Amino acid sequence: MSPDPHSHAGTSPVRVGHLALDLAVDFESRTLAGTATWQLANPEAGREVVLDVRDLTLDSVERLDAAGNAAPADHATGPPDAVLGQALRVALAADTTALRLRYRTAPTAAALQWLAPAQTAGTQPFLFTQSQAILARTWLPCQDSPGIRFTYEATVRVPAHLLALMSAENPQQRNGSGTYHFRMTRPIPAYLMALAVGDLAFAPLSGRTGVYAELPTLPGATHEFADLENMVAAAEQLYGSYRWERYDLLVLPPSFPFGGMENPMLTFVTPTILAGDRSLTSLVAHELAHSWSGNLVTNGTWNDFWLNEGFTVYFERRIMEHLYGQDYADMLQVLGREALCHTIEEIGATSSDTHLRLHLAGRDPDEGLTEIAYEKGCALLLTLEGLIGRPRLDAFIKAYFARFSFEAMDTATFLAYLRATLLDREPGLESQLRLADWVDGPGLPTNAPVVSSRRFAAVDHALAGLESGTAADVLVPGATDWSSHEWVHFLHGLPPTLTAGQLADLDAAFGFTASGNAEILTAWFSHTVRAGYAAATPALENFLRHVGRRKFLVPLYRALLATPGGTSRARRIYAGARANYHSVATGTLDALLGTRT
Ligand code: BES
Ligand code: ZN
């Protein structure tokens, strides 16, 4: 396995095996404090264990023997790096079987977002973590490499009126004491460690699925995710049984920086997918698919991120096709391809950041985690599907998940497995696939299948009519049946030359500014900002103040920056909104808006 350039622990000869975590959550001081006790998997193999830490205060470091006797352990922390944090090296004695670290997090810990009641749907404060890619080390001293797995148990103490949840077996209601116990009996990497605390309630969706949300959000969430059990069943039918017992969703406050995060047993999702019409649930299929691609078979390092996301996007679309038909899945495929082409243009068609296999040593892995891994990765699997047919590809994927469950996978190992089980058995197949061009070459290889959507043909027809001057409201006779995907495709297809007056006509006909769908709003606001359509400004500023999902914020702030006088306007809006964003989003936006030196 290739070494992990983003973890000090990657080369540690001694590995962790099990974590016992005991944490108190203090909203006043915005700290987590307690102990992490690490059972070592192979304490005999070496005399030193290396952990990753970043911005943690270590109060004590002890070594434990098998009987539980504790003694202070010799330890040293290496020089701090702004991205990687520090190496924590701990010396072991001959009889050491575990380490106990007493520690506290910083109020600014990058993984954590502490929310005031006004930033939630309810009346209580909220805390959540986001550990992927390398932020677990800011709230837990750990071997923060996706190739290192451990089981865990945790005791978490929170204010008595709040509920705590983790990426583990979870309580379904408050118990009055504020002390909760968790168990994750299957080994997971540190980036899948997760904790959320808030005024949360649970609603079951089936015997093994359900949803957690703040009470005002719960009815809408229950409605939106009504098909969750069907999604799990479809996924199992495709690629094998679901290995994590329960599958629950947690709807976060709007500042959650991602659409979703596949924390095992408890996917975290943004409330911006609560569109009311179930139109954005492919995101749930995506996070669910990670229960196989990612959480069972895990990218060995962040250079291999495409193995997580490419397989997951392919799998997501297969789930959606199974449930809602090929026409539906085709729309997702076309939107994905459009996003990919846009990303390649942005990054540069010859940039090595457009390769599937990345080389992120010396950089923040966050920089490399682009649409390439998702859509170029998916397109490679589609190309293979075209060459060998679905039945053979499905058998390959199912066997791959089964063979490497609970293991790490890097690109070289994957290629060897692909060759051994498929490509080498059929002369010429690898060159037809042009595998090397996909994995270690730039852009989109020309043998990528062309994707098209029957339902988008009507949208393209309407767009053509608009170009030739037809009035907006007579354009789209079937538009009342359009899903948000058709509307998004429509908005992306609008010419970038429309005037504010023309946008006003479209708004009058279709009510974009008043849409409750965040995907539609983001696509629409890009036009309104560019054209200076002032009637949309209050809705835009409201959106930017409340929504913290980076995928929406980046294009909107970029659109603002691209207008005359836009820099100061973007900075003014950002100044009023920044406190609502997670560090993952402010990290990107500080750089984009030049508010960081
Ligand atoms: N695991 C990712 C989110 C992630 C990636 C967090 C890298 C941190 C670093 C998650 O599964 C994901 O891909 N989310 C997407 C949604 C998806 C439907 C493409 C998102 O948040 O936009
Ligand atoms: Zn994903």
Side-chain angles (χ1 to χ4, degrees):
M1 204 57 76
S2 32
D4 180 356
H6 297 110
S7 170
H8 299 101
T11 52
S12 176
V14 177
R15 296 244 169 142
V16 299
H18 179 79
L19 165 68
L21 187 61
D22 189 321
L23 281 182
V25 178
D26 183 8
F27 281 92
E28 294 276 290
S29 64
R30 301 194 157 188
T31 53
L32 307 178
T35 58
T37 305
W38 286 105
Q39 296 293 330
L40 303 174
N42 55 340
E44 69 288 345
R47 285 279 181 270
E48 179 185 76
V49 58
V50 187
L51 301 180
D52 294 294
V53 294
R54 183 179 150 197
D55 298 335
L56 296 178
T57 303
L58 287 172
D59 294 324
S60 68
V61 180
E62 296 168 299
R63 50 186 167 79
L64 305 179
D65 66 19
N69 301 306
D74 285 338
H75 63 278
T77 46
D81 177 278
V83 175
L84 301 181
Q86 293 169 282
L88 168 63
R89 298 172 187 283
V90 186
L92 308 179
D95 62 352
T96 302
T97 59
L99 295 182
R100 184 163 64 209
L101 304 110
R102 181 168 297 280
Y103 72 100
R104 272 169 292 138
T105 60
T108 53
L112 306 180
Q113 192 172 13
W114 300 87
L115 297 171
Q119 295 168 294
T120 73
T123 58
Q124 297 297 327
F126 203 107
L127 163 70
F128 67 86
T129 63
Q130 169 57 43
S131 298
Q132 197 183 11
I134 56 167
L135 303 181
R137 65 193 70 174
T138 71
W139 69 282
L140 174 71
C142 62
Q143 294 192 322
D144 196 3
S145 178
I148 301 178
R149 310 178 85 90
F150 53 89
T151 53
Y152 77 88
E153 62 197 282
T155 298
V156 178
R157 299 158 213 283
V158 303
H161 54 287
L162 300 182
L163 181 65
L165 300 172
M166 294 191 80
S167 51
E169 285 168 34
N170 276 302
Q172 295 188 341
Q173 55 193 28
R174 279 173 293 199
N175 62 21
S177 77
T179 299
Y180 294 94
H181 301 286
F182 303 90
R183 241 161 32 114
M184 168 46 76
T185 61
R186 295 156 181 89
I188 63 166
Y191 81 88
L192 295 176
M193 287 295 295
L195 170 68
V197 180
D199 187 4
L200 293 161
F202 174 76
L205 293 165
S206 72
R208 59 171 170 174
T209 68
V211 57
Y212 294 86
E214 292 179 281
L215 211 48
T217 311
L218 196 58
T222 311
H223 174 264
E224 207 79 27
F225 305 132
D227 262 349
L228 190 57
E229 173 60 36
N230 295 335
M231 281 190 178
V232 181
E236 288 190 303
Q237 215 179 312
L238 282 163
Y239 297 130
S241 62
Y242 179 73
R243 302 286 301 275
W244 306 86
E245 267 169 75
R246 291 196 57 84
Y247 183 71
D248 292 313
L249 301 174
L250 166 61
V251 181
L252 286 138
S255 66
F256 186 59
F258 293 105
M261 177 64 213
E262 66 272 24
N263 298 312
M265 305 187 75
L266 184 68
T267 281
F268 286 19
V269 297
T270 169
T272 63
I273 58 169
L274 301 176
D277 58 2
R278 301 177 183 164
S279 59
L280 302 179
T281 58
S282 63
L283 187 139
V284 174
H286 177 97
E287 304 312 333
L288 169 65
H290 274 307
S291 304
W292 289 258
S293 42
N295 299 3
L296 282 184
V297 184
T298 306
N299 54 203
T301 75
W302 301 113
N303 289 331
D304 313 301
F305 185 57
W306 76 276
L307 291 173
N308 271 20
E309 297 298 344
F311 275 81
T312 297
V313 170
Y314 178 82
F315 192 170
E316 161 209 326
R317 306 231 164 105
R318 292 294 300 277
I319 294 170
M320 297 307 280
E321 178 181 327
H322 188 99
L323 291 181
Y324 308 112
Q326 193 185 334
D327 280 351
Y328 191 93
D330 282 348
M331 291 195 291
L332 302 175
Q333 207 65 259
V334 171
L335 290 174
R337 182 63 63 86
E338 287 168 0
L340 175 60
C341 293
H342 187 239
T343 298
I344 290 174
E345 224 166 89
E346 231 171 54
I347 303 180
T350 58
S351 164
S352 61
D353 283 352
T354 66
H355 299 190
L356 285 178
R357 175 163 34 200
L358 297 171
H359 301 278
L360 297 171
R363 295 167 68 187
D364 188 334
D366 204 49
E367 286 176 32
L369 310 188
T370 69
E371 210 64 61
I372 298 293
Y374 292 81
E375 295 295 342
K376 185 177 175 182
C378 173
L380 168 58
L381 292 174
L382 274 183
T383 308
L384 186 56
E385 181 190 302
L387 289 171
I388 65 175
R390 261 196 187 177
R392 283 178 71 198
L393 180 64
D394 283 353
F396 168 79
I397 294 176
K398 192 170 176 179
Y400 167 69
F401 290 156
R403 165 67 185 80
F404 297 104
S405 282
F406 302 106
E407 290 184 28
M409 177 60 54
D410 67 8
T411 302
T413 310
F414 173 74
L415 295 182
Y417 179 77
L418 178 66
R419 289 187 175 114
T421 59
L422 259 180
L423 303 182
D424 291 351
R425 298 179 175 196
E426 206 173 304
L429 185 54
E430 176 160 351
S431 61
Q432 268 182 294
L433 181 58
R434 299 179 35 195
L435 187 59
D437 294 347
W438 282 91
V439 174
D440 294 309
L444 184 65
T446 50
N447 64 337
V450 175
V451 295
S452 65
S453 157
R454 206 184 54 83
R455 285 174 63 173
F456 282 174
V459 179
D460 294 333
H461 182 75
L463 285 167
L466 193 70
E467 293 245 31
S468 61
T470 314
D473 49 354
V474 297
L475 263 183
V476 222
T480 44
D481 306 333
W482 280 7
S483 69
S484 67
H485 309 300
E486 280 134 326
W487 284 116
V488 166
H489 182 68
F490 178 78
L491 290 164
H492 286 167
L494 287 177
T497 49
L498 292 181
T499 63
Q502 289 170 307
L503 292 179
D505 290 344
L506 287 167
D507 208 10
F510 304 124
F512 294 124
T513 301
S515 170
N517 187 299
E519 299 278 352
I520 291 176
L521 283 175
T522 300
W524 171 242
F525 288 145
S526 309
H527 289 285
T528 67
V529 167
R530 180 198 41 74
Y533 172 54
T537 301
L540 167 71
E541 295 196 5
N542 183 55
F543 187 83
L544 291 174
R545 255 196 316 278
H546 291 102
V547 174
R549 188 173 168 190
R550 185 167 63 175
K551 177 186 145 189
F552 297 146
L553 298 180
V554 168
L556 291 177
Y557 279 107
R558 277 214 181 113
L560 283 166
L561 288 173
T563 61
T567 304
S568 59
R569 184 167 167 226
R571 285 184 182 162
R572 174 184 58 73
I573 296 173
Y574 185 50
R578 191 178 183 281
N580 289 330
Y581 301 156
H582 187 276
S583 79
V584 156
T586 57
T588 304
L589 294 172
D590 285 349
L592 182 67
L593 293 165
T595 52
R596 186 177 57 184
T597 49

